[in-house]
Amino acid sequence: MNKEQAQKRMEELYAQIEEHNYQYYVLDRPIVTDQEYDHMMQDLIRLEAEHPDLKAPHSPTERVGAEPLPHFQKVTHDIPMLSLGNVFDESELRDFDRRVRQGIGQENIEYVAELKIDGLAVSLRYEDGQFVSGATRGDGTTGEDITQNLKTIRAIPLKLREPVTLEVRGEAYMPKHEFEKLNQRREEKGEELFANPRNSAAGSLRQLDPKIVAQRHLSIFLYGIAQVQGLDIHSHSEGLEALERIGLKTNPETKVCHSVDELLDYIQYWTDRRAELPYEIDGIVIKVNHIQYQEQLGFTAKSPRWATAYKFPAEESVTILKDIEVNVGRTGAVTPTALLEPVSLAGTTVKRASLHNEDLIREKDIRIGDHVVVKKAGDIIPEVVAVVEERRDGTEKEYHMPTHCPECHAELVRIEEEVALRCINPKCPAQIKEGMIHYVSRNAMNIDGLGERVIIQLYDQGLIREVADLYYLDRDELLQLERMGEKSVDNLLHAIEQSKENSLEKLIFGLGIRLVGAKAARLLAAQFETMDRLMDATEEELEAINEVGPKMAESIVTYFDNPEVCALVERLSVAGVNMAYKGPKLQEAEAVDSPFAGQTVVITGTLEHFKRNELKEQLQGLGAKVTGSVSKNTDMLIAGENAGSKLDKANDLNVRVIDENELINLLSPPE
Ligand code: IVH
């Protein structure tokens, strides 16, 4: 065969193999036998070996060839990968539908109901029809580049049937029978078993060696388009049809529904039949079909208002509570944990469960030796929900919380109004370790390879005493640690180095300031832009931010008043940790458009055209801080009919007062 003939044959094979992949993986209608398919692949491998220069980047042999990676690169999602809100029963679903109808101002809404696949969210990018890259969700903003691993998934075409440029989102998963085969193989080899298909899919995609991933036989369903050029799409269902047409695998059980009753039928149908599916699902996703309506409804900080997940009820099991252990958390809170006779729950084996606090143990009268009902809360941390009293035989023992910290032996205190017992010794090693575990966690500084085990080792060896020490670690000292080879040490040092580039919100959250969660950290970073400015902020300035209340403001000021904290921040900064916000500038964008941006507003009296809560949300969306009482800090009072003392006070204080008509004028955008 001469070169020209070889090239022609290779192109034929590319097209044929891609077509068979499509028939088999996307349409589920194979038209050749496995042997015929294997033959074509063998032919292609031979030709490519003879003519390596002719090999195309989208060749199907590319799926298994890549070399292992030292670590994954981080990638920023242009369009964040959000999560979904949840509903758990019919009445919550009806509330969701009501909010949607109100938001759109229509009585009849078309929804799409889909299976909620229990796998791992991924994002795929195609340019001119060629698969170029794919990433995990990560924290929603930053994920990991797992292109090589995704190429091993045959349901992901390396070349689309049309030359479109798009970014699609979907769920990679491990089919149930593949999961069973995998665990069987692992058992034979004496390896640790995966708890469920979800974990094994996630574990597989985190493999640095694509050859291992290829053996795991993962699959995927695509369920959404994040960005697209070259397709004209007006509804979600049209989008799914387009995805299938261009060669991407969508779930066949998707259904367009026209009422809540129809949605409930779909939910019931799949609740009864989920065990028969060849893959695991953990609920049903409900989406508003028309894109125009989706846009009208928009998003909250975390999730779209136009979609929700109906979660299947958590499974419950009964087991014996063998003992109670107490742990000291990052804030010094001492919490009891139940040690259980291992029991299978929603596909995982559970050995520990949260008991929250001593009051709960008393209230439920939980005793050591009891048979207890355990339940998965939100599908992650199991908790003890009740005691099976009928099964008591009199040998069960009441439990009392310790009076001293199990870690540093300081006396525990119970702070007024709080249920938790606390260790208030700031030098308590348990708290320090937990604080560092929090600092490196995914939503905080996201340092891979620094799990709980390594932090504890580093601490116990005296190599770290505070988070800044992480940036001064010595390679040789790390090599002395247990289970730390050259490669893991280098990966770890690389991950630590990379974390220096994080945007400010990750650092703020990572510091673990009391009451400051990930969302508040983002708001603070966006508002103050640099650590220095945040450290100088007064309680008043902090409170002016929506969602920062007086308690959080006080906690932040108190935190930064501490000279030890200032010294810590200084050391982090000297180490090269970025102290500036890198995200979008929220305030400026809002300030241009809205007369409410940055204004402190109070609403009073009866309004004819607005519901109080909805108006409040709308104003907050425009950058206003809406508070309950008029003070010298108030910028504007919105006064409806029969406004009483607040109006008097506003007049006394010379606060601007507007009536409902003026409000409507201010809210309607200028021509
Ligand atoms: S839509 C804006 N559809 O569930 C969010 N998600 O919390 C778009 N998932 O992380 C998600 N099946 O990984 C959507 N048919 C489906 C899904 C699905 C599974 C996962 C997804 C996401 C999580 C939602």
Side-chain angles (χ1 to χ4, degrees):
M1 208 184 279
N2 66 25
K3 201 158 183 164
E4 216 168 287
Q5 286 166 325
Q7 177 151 29
K8 194 158 161 258
R9 178 69 186 136
M10 279 161 79
E11 266 157 23
E12 255 169 43
L13 285 168
Y14 288 163
Q16 282 172 0
I17 292 170
E18 213 46 90
E19 176 66 24
H20 292 313
N21 277 346
Y22 179 64
Q23 296 286 342
Y24 185 95
Y25 291 105
V26 180
L27 302 182
D28 205 11
R29 273 198 315 254
I31 49 173
V32 286
T33 63
D34 285 359
Q35 284 96 324
E36 287 170 300
Y37 182 90
D38 287 346
H39 247 104
M40 287 187 250
M41 273 305 258
Q42 294 310 326
D43 253 13
L44 183 60
I45 290 171
R46 189 177 46 76
L47 281 166
E48 284 182 347
E50 285 165 17
H51 305 278
D53 53 318
L54 296 179
K55 182 168 165 175
H58 61 269
S59 165
T61 61
E62 271 295 285
R63 291 190 185 278
V64 286
E67 289 303 311
L69 293 169
H71 51 81
F72 296 119
Q73 294 295 331
K74 297 245 150 82
V75 270
T76 307
H77 301 295
D78 291 346
I79 313 256
M81 291 181 78
L82 301 176
S83 59
L84 290 171
N86 291 322
V87 295
F88 289 95
D89 57 29
E90 172 173 347
S91 91
E92 290 182 7
L93 179 63
R94 290 195 186 279
D95 288 345
F96 166 76
D97 169 59
R98 200 168 304 124
R99 286 196 300 275
V100 166
R101 282 186 287 119
Q102 265 170 10
I104 299 176
Q106 290 271 342
E107 259 325 284
N108 298 313
I109 304 290
E110 201 169 276
Y111 291 105
V112 177
E114 293 173 5
L115 303 183
K116 185 165 186 297
I117 314 298
D118 200 9
L120 197 77
V122 296
S123 188
L124 311 180
R125 290 204 313 115
Y126 285 87
E127 277 168 21
D128 294 328
Q130 305 256 3
F131 177 55
V132 288
S133 64
T136 59
R137 173 172 185 271
D139 63 4
T141 314
T142 312
E144 284 176 331
D145 183 338
I146 53 162
T147 310
Q148 293 198 357
N149 287 347
L150 291 169
K151 277 189 181 172
T152 71
I153 302 182
R154 290 177 188 257
I156 297 181
L158 301 180
K159 191 172 169 207
L160 297 175
R161 301 166 74 79
E162 290 175 26
V164 280
T165 293
L166 86 173
E167 180 171 337
V168 275
R169 303 273 160 87
E171 195 85 351
Y173 68 92
M174 183 175 284
K176 286 179 189 167
H177 67 274
E178 293 293 345
F179 167 69
E180 265 138 38
K181 278 202 294 198
L182 172 65
N183 261 355
Q184 225 168 25
R185 289 203 301 270
R186 292 177 78 88
E187 189 158 24
E188 281 159 17
K189 289 201 225 148
E191 292 170 346
E192 208 179 311
L193 301 189
F194 279 116
N196 54 41
R198 205 204 89 77
N199 287 5
S200 50
S204 302
L205 285 176
R206 243 175 256 128
Q207 286 286 336
L208 291 167
D209 184 355
K211 295 208 172 58
I212 300 180
V213 191
Q215 294 159 9
R216 298 281 169 89
H217 301 285
L218 300 177
S219 192
I220 193 166
F221 285 120
L222 282 319
Y223 53 63
I225 301 176
Q227 319 191 55
V228 67
Q229 289 162 25
L231 294 176
D232 189 25
I233 288 158
H234 302 100
S235 66
H236 179 62
S237 53
E238 261 178 47
L240 292 175
E241 280 163 26
L243 291 184
E244 180 170 336
R245 190 182 70 236
I246 64 176
L248 291 161
K249 185 174 158 195
T250 56
N251 189 282
E253 318 301 350
T254 302
K255 186 168 186 271
V256 175
C257 295
H258 299 90
S259 65
V260 176
D261 287 334
E262 228 183 302
L263 290 172
L264 286 166
D265 284 347
Y266 181 92
I267 290 168
Q268 191 57 50
Y269 184 90
W270 286 110
T271 307
D272 296 342
R273 287 172 186 72
R274 68 190 268 216
E276 294 161 28
L277 286 165
Y279 43 83
E280 291 218 335
I281 60 172
D282 59 345
I284 302 295
V285 181
I286 293 144
K287 302 175 181 172
V288 169
N289 197 11
H290 288 98
I291 308 284
Q292 185 202 334
Y293 291 160
Q294 291 185 359
E295 283 170 358
Q296 213 170 319
L297 290 163
F299 298 83
T300 68
K302 280 194 286 195
S303 49
R305 289 202 183 85
W306 46 264
T308 194
Y310 183 102
K311 287 296 221 41
F312 291 139
E315 269 181 47
E316 291 186 349
S317 302
V318 173
T319 186
I320 299 171
L321 187 150
K322 295 194 300 189
D323 204 354
I324 292 175
E325 179 187 274
V326 289
N327 303 96
V328 188
R330 154 170 82 84
T331 59
V334 176
T335 48
T337 300
L339 304 182
L340 306 169
E341 191 63 44
V343 62
S344 158
L345 185 64
T348 53
T349 304
V350 169
K351 297 182 196 137
R352 303 158 66 86
S354 169
L355 288 166
H356 300 294
N357 55 58
E358 189 171 20
D359 285 5
L360 189 117
I361 299 177
R362 290 286 152 269
E363 196 183 299
K364 301 208 159 124
D365 189 20
I366 296 168
R367 303 181 194 174
I368 294 172
D370 264 334
H371 281 79
V372 290
V373 180
V374 283
K375 173 176 157 178
K376 283 262 174 103
D379 274 8
I380 314 170
I381 310 155
E383 59 184 335
V384 173
V385 290
V387 170
V388 191
E389 285 190 32
E390 299 85 304
R391 298 192 65 173
R392 280 199 175 145
D393 63 7
T395 60
E396 297 78 14
K397 292 200 182 61
E398 263 190 40
Y399 176 78
H400 294 281
M401 291 286 277
T403 52
H404 291 78
C405 174
E407 192 66 38
C408 70
H409 312 292
E411 194 171 347
L412 298 176
V413 297
R414 191 167 180 152
I415 295 167
E416 245 181 295
E417 293 174 39
E418 283 191 356
V419 277
L421 276 177
R422 274 180 201 283
C423 169
I424 50 169
N425 170 13
K427 301 261 183 277
C428 171
Q431 289 177 53
I432 296 173
K433 283 185 256 186
E434 288 297 329
M436 298 208 220
I437 292 168
H438 169 77
Y439 182 84
V440 302
S441 67
R442 193 167 76 173
N443 287 333
M445 294 298 272
N446 195 13
I447 305 182
D448 288 340
L450 250 190
E452 195 166 333
R453 185 180 63 83
V454 182
I455 293 275
I456 292 173
Q457 265 198 74
L458 290 171
Y459 186 89
D460 292 345
Q461 298 283 325
L463 296 180
I464 51 173
R465 278 291 167 269
E466 59 172 20
V467 290
D469 295 329
L470 292 171
Y471 298 96
Y472 298 90
L473 284 171
D474 181 67
R475 188 168 183 276
D476 293 333
E477 273 179 332
L478 287 174
L479 282 167
Q480 308 298 315
L481 297 179
E482 240 176 79
R483 289 205 262 167
M484 291 289 271
E486 299 243 344
K487 206 166 144 189
S488 15
V489 168
D490 288 340
N491 284 346
L492 177 57
L493 289 171
H494 177 81
I496 293 174
E497 199 55 33
Q498 236 185 1
S499 76
K500 292 182 183 170
E501 302 304 317
N502 285 340
S503 179
L504 179 62
E505 64 276 20
K506 297 212 123 201
L507 177 61
I508 298 176
F509 179 56
L511 289 175
I513 308 167
R514 214 168 67 82
L515 302 178
V516 179
K519 187 173 168 197
R522 206 171 332 116
L523 292 170
L524 292 167
Q527 177 72 34
F528 292 98
E529 294 183 337
T530 66
M531 185 63 106
D532 279 347
R533 288 176 55 192
L534 173 64
M535 290 172 84
D536 287 343
T538 61
E539 284 185 35
E540 207 168 28
E541 284 168 331
L542 288 161
E543 268 190 71
I545 301 177
N546 275 328
E547 299 178 58
V548 176
K551 284 197 177 143
M552 198 198 294
E554 190 192 338
S555 161
I556 295 167
V557 170
T558 315
Y559 180 80
F560 287 116
D561 264 351
N562 181 344
E564 287 187 28
V565 167
C566 300
L568 171 68
V569 172
E570 178 62 23
R571 276 191 79 211
L572 288 169
S573 171
V574 169
V577 175
N578 167 50
M579 297 279 158
Y581 177 61
K582 297 180 171 178
K585 299 207 167 152
L586 307 170
Q587 294 303 326
E588 282 175 15
E590 277 160 11
V592 181
D593 283 330
S594 151
F596 295 98
Q599 301 280 301
T600 301
V601 180
V602 178
I603 310 171
T604 190
T606 317
L607 297 168
E608 199 187 333
H609 300 282
F610 300 88
K611 287 212 175 97
R612 192 65 79 84
N613 273 341
E614 288 172 8
L615 175 61
K616 184 171 168 189
E617 272 189 30
Q618 190 177 355
L619 293 173
Q620 285 173 339
L622 293 168
K625 178 176 168 67
V626 182
T627 63
S629 56
V630 176
S631 75
K632 63 177 184 352
N633 294 328
T634 310
D635 295 306
M636 185 191 289
L637 177 75
I638 298 172
E641 288 297 303
N642 304 320
S645 60
K646 288 185 190 169
L647 179 57
D648 298 339
K649 190 155 181 203
N651 285 330
D652 282 351
L653 291 170
N654 253 335
V655 169
R656 176 179 178 196
V657 178
I658 64 167
D659 64 12
E660 196 166 353
N661 283 332
E662 264 178 279
L663 172 66
I664 292 169
N665 279 335
L666 286 179
L667 284 173
S668 47
E671 288 301 304

